[in-house]
Amino acid sequence: MKKIAVVGSPGSGKSTFARALHDITHIELIHLDVLFWKPGWVETPRNVWIKTQEELIKIEEWIIDGNYQSTIDIRLNAADTIIFLDMPRFLCIWRVIKRHFMYLGKSRTDMAKDCPEKMSAEYIWEVWNFPNNKRKKLIQKLSPLSKDKQLIWLSSSQQIATFLNDYNDPKLLALPHFLC
């Protein structure tokens, strides 16, 4: 595992998981939200964002967390390992709400500077609908990649904890972690 893409619903724990994996592996950690958003929640133009992604994947080793559907194929194709945090929708909603109040008026460490935490009905609706919309599209993208890449599918906090605890044991990591 040298090029690791961490994907999943907002609130699934992508950034927290990626940080924990970085702490274990010391592989460079890249939070896409830090790069995409400019101060005041200004989006990076699409052509610049694509070039940024193309440069990121040239790095020898990386852990990249984030979905960004418009450029996800760039990262998925370059990754040797894809970790899908497929968490229950109520847990994701709870985490998004909790995160909002934890960082109220402040920017998170995995978010660009001067982008204070915010929440809207549209965002909650996006998280709620992730299993019906974006999850299905993501699975369609992941299915053909599972032949050539290590696909790790984690769908509970216990599976995440077990994976991170087992990571230091190479014998356990050699076992398949594709969990349906």
Side-chain angles (χ1 to χ4, degrees), residues 17-59:
F17 176 84
R19 243 187 327 274
L21 190 57
H22 162 75
D23 289 346
I24 294 167
T25 64
H26 306 289
I27 294 174
E28 184 173 351
L29 174 58
I30 301 164
H31 297 293
L32 291 180
D33 284 340
V34 172
L35 301 173
F36 181 77
W37 295 104
K38 304 303 174 212
W41 292 98
V42 175
E43 295 181 12
T44 297
R46 181 168 166 66
N47 62 329
V48 174
W49 187 231
I50 290 169
K51 287 180 185 177
T52 300
Q53 298 296 300
E54 291 169 345
E55 290 302 312
L56 288 175
I57 64 168
K58 291 178 185 176
I59 297 170

Side-chain angles (χ1 to χ4, degrees), residues 5-145:
V6 180
V7 296
S9 171
S12 64
K14 295 181 301 293
S15 296
T16 302
F17 176 84
R19 243 187 327 274
L21 190 57
H22 162 75
D23 289 346
I24 294 167
T25 64
H26 306 289
I27 294 174
E28 184 173 351
L29 174 58
I30 301 164
H31 297 293
L32 291 180
D33 284 340
V34 172
L35 301 173
F36 181 77
W37 295 104
K38 304 303 174 212
W41 292 98
V42 175
E43 295 181 12
T44 297
R46 181 168 166 66
N47 62 329
V48 174
W49 187 231
I50 290 169
K51 287 180 185 177
T52 300
Q53 298 296 300
E54 291 169 345
E55 290 302 312
L56 288 175
I57 64 168
K58 291 178 185 176
I59 297 170
E60 189 174 329
E61 294 184 339
W62 44 258
I63 299 169
I64 298 177
D65 88 270
N67 285 344
Y68 291 93
Q69 295 291 326
S70 66
T71 57
I72 198 166
D73 290 332
I74 296 170
R75 294 182 309 282
L76 294 181
N77 290 328
D80 59 40
T81 304
I82 302 163
I83 301 174
F84 180 21
L85 302 185
D86 191 18
M87 306 304 285
R89 99 173 52 190
F90 283 108
L91 178 61
C92 295
I93 293 284
W94 165 245
R95 287 177 174 173
V96 165
I97 293 169
K98 179 181 168 188
R99 178 173 69 196
H100 172 71
F101 288 106
M102 283 178 58
Y103 291 96
L104 191 61
K106 301 181 277 188
S107 296
R108 301 187 322 253
T109 57
D110 57 336
M111 180 56 72
K113 292 191 185 302
D114 297 321
C115 290
E117 187 64 23
K118 63 180 185 174
M119 184 173 50
S120 66
E122 292 87 7
Y123 187 62
I124 295 296
W125 188 247
E126 177 186 337
V127 178
W128 180 259
N129 283 310
F130 184 90
N132 299 332
N133 299 329
K134 293 183 180 179
R135 180 183 183 273
K136 289 179 182 180
K137 291 176 186 174
L138 186 55
I139 290 171
Q140 288 173 342
K141 288 179 181 291
L142 295 177
S143 292
L145 296 175

Side-chain angles (χ1 to χ4, degrees), residues 128-166:
W128 180 259
N129 283 310
F130 184 90
N132 299 332
N133 299 329
K134 293 183 180 179
R135 180 183 183 273
K136 289 179 182 180
K137 291 176 186 174
L138 186 55
I139 290 171
Q140 288 173 342
K141 288 179 181 291
L142 295 177
S143 292
L145 296 175
S146 65
K147 295 175 185 138
D148 302 324
K149 300 173 186 297
Q150 183 176 24
L151 179 58
I152 301 168
W153 198 312
L154 304 172
S155 57
S156 72
S157 297
Q158 181 59 48
Q159 287 179 353
I160 289 171
T162 299
F163 176 82
L164 291 171
N165 286 332
D166 291 350

